[in-house]
Amino acid sequence: MGPARRDGVKRRDALLDAALRCFSERGLLGTGIEEIRKAAGASPSSVYHLFDGLPDLTLALLIRTFERLFTHLVSRVVPTSTAEEAVVALVDGHLEWILSHRDEGRFMYQAMAMELGTDAAEVLLARKAELLAPIVQHVARFVSEGSLPPWPTLLLDVVLLGPSHEACRRFLGGAPLDPAWMRSQLPKLAWQSVRPQTPRGA
């Protein structure tokens, strides 16, 4: 990577970092691109050289957030050797990252609650599929051996991470949920929801 490319990456990250700070302080709907520009100490020309506008910058920050989250999840899930270990690692890894990166987690949930344009939604969906591929491939072995239900990836995601997403949203919104309880109980509950059922009398 040449000096010009490195400078461009640094300026881009500085703008994304500033956007995250502004969104955390004012919320997505209360933040304009001019406020982000000033927080980053960037010139108008440099902002619009890197991003088409606020929606494009917001999408870039959302993609960066998913890249960081899914990289962490891959590091937790792929080394596992059983279905139970994989499920627990997935749910606990998600909770661990969100609770350790609360501003990014809060932004992620706020941004995903907003309606993205068709093009942006397609870009985000494609990038998420790329990032999740190692986990999907790893979990497929447990599905094939019968230790996880033969459900589509989307359904597994809803069942395994749905309660954790809801708990994180509420916690980040100020609900009196105990993070220690979330990490001690939700991964176990996720596994109980998909583990193979022992026939009666077995």
Side-chain angles (χ1 to χ4, degrees):
M1 183 185 297
R5 172 64 175 158
R6 283 195 296 270
D7 288 345
V9 171
K10 287 176 63 176
R11 286 197 297 271
R12 186 177 188 276
D13 280 339
L15 281 165
L16 295 180
D17 290 340
L20 181 61
R21 292 194 302 272
C22 291
F23 290 147
S24 298
E25 293 169 1
R26 304 178 179 89
L28 266 70
L29 297 179
T31 301
I33 197 164
E34 182 65 11
E35 293 161 316
I36 295 171
R37 181 192 70 77
K38 290 178 179 178
S43 66
S45 60
S46 66
V47 174
Y48 287 100
H49 175 73
L50 293 166
F51 302 105
D52 291 338
L54 185 59
D56 188 39
L57 191 154
T58 303
L59 175 62
L61 179 57
L62 188 56
I63 289 174
R64 190 182 76 169
T65 301
F66 277 119
E67 288 172 346
R68 293 176 173 182
L69 170 59
F70 290 167
T71 296
H72 177 71
L73 293 181
V74 169
S75 73
R76 289 289 310 271
V77 175
V78 171
T80 60
S81 57
T82 68
E84 181 176 2
E85 290 175 355
V87 168
V88 169
L90 176 67
V91 178
D92 184 61
H94 171 262
L95 293 167
E96 178 186 28
W97 194 88
I98 295 294
L99 293 171
S100 299
H101 302 83
R102 297 182 186 183
D103 286 345
E104 286 176 286
R106 191 175 291 107
F107 160 75
M108 180 182 75
Y109 287 123
Q110 290 178 354
M112 292 302 293
M114 299 175 66
E115 184 173 348
L116 299 173
T118 301
D119 291 344
E122 290 178 355
V123 168
L124 182 61
L125 188 63
R127 185 62 180 133
K128 287 176 68 176
E130 291 175 0
L131 295 166
L132 278 173
I135 293 176
V136 172
Q137 293 168 6
H138 185 69
V139 168
R141 61 181 280 204
F142 303 124
V143 173
S144 64
E145 70 185 25
S147 52
L148 283 177
W151 298 339
T153 301
L154 178 59
L155 184 54
L156 276 172
D157 178 69
V158 168
V159 172
L160 295 178
L161 287 175
S164 296
H165 280 305
E166 182 63 20
C168 286
R169 284 191 191 94
R170 294 194 182 202
F171 173 77
L172 294 173
L177 288 168
D178 180 9
W181 180 89
M182 291 162 64
R183 291 191 64 184
S184 69
Q185 297 301 315
L186 292 178
K188 292 188 293 187
L189 291 172
W191 170 242
Q192 290 172 12
S193 69
V194 295
R195 69 181 180 182
Q197 299 300 308
T198 303
R200 291 184 178 181

